[in-house]
Amino acid sequence: GAGVSQSPSNKVTEKGKDVELRCDPISGHTALYWYRQRLGQGLEFLIYFQGNSAPDKSGLPSDRFSAERTGESVSTLTIQRTQQEDSAVYLCASSLTLTNTGELFFGEGSRLTVL
Amino acid sequence: KQEVTQIPAALSVPEGENLVLNCSFTDSAIYNLQWFRQDPGKGLTSLLLIQSSQREQTSGRLNASLDKSSGRSTLYIAASQPGDSATYLCAVNDSGTYKYIFGTGTRLKVLA
């Protein structure tokens, strides 16, 4: 696609429910990143995928968080048993490559509110 | 562990002024440094990318410099306009981990 696409743009859920967030990267981009941005805070790294290599999951805050990506296409971030502290904007970004020329392009984000 | 700091946290200037935003990082082992702007409620828009071997990049009224050995980058905005009002973020692509590590941003307000 022309840009990074994320859905839903807004999600309101009740505490304890599971949510799934979707990211469609720019076509041909091998690297895909997920970040979390709490209100008034900076970007917190969650996970990245590079081609068919094992993802770097070192930023996932708990085992309630998981993410998948099939090949170089769509990725889904799943949060199980949501808590109020999970409320944030979840941003996805993609890059053509992981090396020094790899410019990062972001989607508009998915705003999650846990009541 | 790579850490990125941006100073100042907030800045308010009259229209037409030239201004400098600062970014510092603790580990010089980076692939590149990227500057972004973020408008309220929006995602991040890429402004400039400086590869680790480069010293500066320019785009229109924006000029970004990189001094990798001292762990510093500056974003220079010439002849600021109210439309430049946004939060500006810098991020380094850490060559040890491939992660982009972000600063907390500088919130810029340009007054008409």
Side-chain angles (χ1 to χ4, degrees):
Chain A
V4 179
S5 179
Q6 292 189 245
S7 62
S9 54
N10 274 289
K11 176 73 176 179
V12 180
T13 191
E14 293 180 348
K15 178 181 169 181
K17 300 281 189 184
D18 297 352
V19 297
E20 210 172 78
L21 308 176
R22 175 187 168 109
C23 173
D24 199 346
I26 294 172
S27 179
H29 279 197
T30 62
L32 186 149
Y33 294 78
W34 283 99
Y35 286 85
R36 177 170 71 178
Q37 188 175 33
R38 290 188 165 122
L39 188 64
Q41 305 290 313
L43 271 74
E44 177 187 4
F45 168 80
L46 297 177
I47 186 170
Y48 83 77
F49 299 86
Q50 165 59 15
N52 293 317
S53 302
D56 181 336
K57 305 179 182 180
S58 60
L60 295 178
S62 76
D63 59 8
R64 296 186 296 105
F65 288 71
S66 63
E68 289 184 351
R69 186 184 188 197
T70 305
E72 295 179 0
S73 62
V74 171
S75 174
T76 55
L77 176 69
T78 302
I79 309 173
Q80 296 178 310
R81 305 181 303 281
T82 51
Q83 304 293 313
Q84 287 182 331
E85 64 261 28
D86 299 333
S87 296
V89 176
Y90 290 82
L91 292 161
C92 175
S94 71
S95 173
L96 187 60
T97 172
L98 279 183
T99 64
N100 59 348
T101 57
E103 189 173 2
L104 206 56
F105 295 91
F106 277 85
E108 292 289 306
S110 291
R111 181 177 299 277
L112 175 65
T113 303
V114 182
L115 302 176
Chain B
K1 180 187 170 187
Q2 179 76 264
E3 292 182 359
V4 180
T5 304
Q6 291 187 248
I7 294 173
L11 183 61
S12 187
V13 299
E15 181 177 7
E17 269 204 11
N18 302 323
L19 56 101
V20 174
L21 307 181
N22 296 291
C23 172
S24 61
F25 48 96
T26 54
D27 188 343
S28 62
I30 63 171
Y31 278 126
N32 58 51
L33 182 145
Q34 203 167 343
W35 282 94
F36 298 86
R37 80 174 266 168
Q38 186 175 31
D39 294 284
K42 300 287 188 181
L44 279 68
T45 300
S46 176
L47 297 174
L48 289 165
L49 177 141
I50 311 178
Q51 298 176 35
S52 60
S53 59
Q54 296 175 330
R55 299 284 292 184
E56 67 176 340
Q57 283 288 332
T58 298
S59 176
R61 294 183 293 108
L62 305 179
N63 176 277
S65 68
L66 174 64
D67 183 342
K68 205 172 70 158
S69 61
S70 68
R72 292 181 183 178
S73 175
T74 61
L75 178 67
Y76 175 83
I77 302 176
S80 58
Q81 302 170 358
D84 295 330
S85 298
T87 296
Y88 289 81
L89 295 144
C90 71
V92 296
N93 187 346
D94 187 275
S95 63
T97 65
Y98 296 108
K99 296 175 190 174
Y100 280 86
I101 309 298
F102 281 81
T104 49
T106 294
R107 192 166 63 251
L108 173 66
K109 191 166 187 178
V110 181
L111 305 169

